[in-house]
Amino acid sequence: LWASLETSLAVVFRDLKTPWVVITIISAYQSPSSSATSGPTTFHTQQLLTLRKNNDSLLHPRKAFVRDLRILLQEFASQQHEIILCGDFNQSLGLESSLASVLSDFHLTDIHGSHLGLESEVSTYARGSKRLDYMFCTPVLAGNVLRCGAEPFNAVYYSDHQALYVDFSFEGVFDNNLPILCRPQSQG
């Protein structure tokens, strides 16, 4: 179900003595649970039809999502990428969730949960009472989070979800060897 997973790469060179640092950002959307009210144009139904069309033996969109996410993460982890995984997972992610083992296997940290605490989690979905949106990252990035949070509903863009944000200390991520993009004498 690659349609529900999109990736972008940010590549930064440290210096001549150290390797490239590659940060992969994955934006994910997991299908809501099926229900009797799922119509023919819902995301869940479209994903189910895609699985059938592709003769996929796993005819459950959420299970296929977890499988495909695991494959994608394995690809980037095997190449030593730092990873940021963010998205609408349409479920509260606790130890019992279908994604718990994937997050654990790839050492992905819940950025907001670890910095803001789980005791006072707020709903990130306007029509719900649970947190459905998350940002996870690998340990190097997790150790360099400066601040994170969620904007109020409709403050950044009109949506039924809050906009999450995270600020990283790139000096920590890139060992204080940030490339010079423009020499001071060239700056206006």
Side-chain angles (χ1 to χ4, degrees), residues 9-176:
L9 296 176
V11 181
V12 178
F13 188 72
R14 285 189 187 180
D15 59 35
L16 295 176
K17 298 176 188 172
T18 56
W20 293 86
V21 173
V22 180
I23 300 174
T24 299
I25 303 168
I26 302 170
S27 175
Y29 179 78
Q30 179 175 232
S31 171
S33 296
S34 65
S35 69
T37 60
S38 291
T41 60
T42 63
F43 184 80
H44 179 85
T45 301
Q46 291 174 12
Q47 291 296 292
L48 185 58
L49 293 173
T50 300
L51 290 168
R52 285 185 185 147
K53 179 182 173 189
N54 294 338
N55 294 317
D56 195 315
S57 61
L58 191 59
L59 287 175
H60 191 285
R62 294 187 106 178
K63 290 180 181 178
F65 172 85
V66 172
R67 176 201 60 202
D68 292 349
L69 179 60
R70 183 177 289 283
I71 292 168
L72 187 64
L73 289 170
Q74 182 58 49
E75 176 185 337
F76 293 123
S78 70
Q79 298 172 37
Q80 306 300 311
H81 290 208
E82 297 300 330
I83 297 170
I84 300 171
L85 169 62
C86 51
D88 176 358
F89 293 94
N90 277 308
Q91 73 181 75
S92 187
L93 299 179
L95 295 175
E96 306 297 319
S97 80
S98 57
L99 289 169
S101 68
V102 175
L103 299 171
S104 176
D105 290 350
F106 292 97
H107 309 287
L108 296 175
T109 300
D110 174 3
I111 296 170
H112 293 81
S114 65
H115 285 270
L116 303 175
L118 297 173
E119 302 79 32
S120 59
E121 276 190 326
V122 296
S123 171
T124 58
Y125 179 55
R127 294 186 299 262
S129 60
K130 297 181 180 175
R131 181 174 162 212
L132 304 179
D133 304 286
Y134 295 84
M135 296 178 82
F136 303 98
C137 65
T138 47
V140 168
L141 294 173
N144 288 285
V145 171
L146 295 174
R147 65 194 141 267
C148 61
E151 295 289 340
F153 289 103
N154 303 319
V156 176
Y157 56 87
Y158 183 75
S159 174
D160 57 355
H161 290 263
Q162 289 183 310
L164 302 180
Y165 67 88
V166 61
D167 292 331
F168 294 99
S169 165
F170 284 112
E171 289 83 5
V173 173
F174 301 116
D175 292 337
N176 294 318

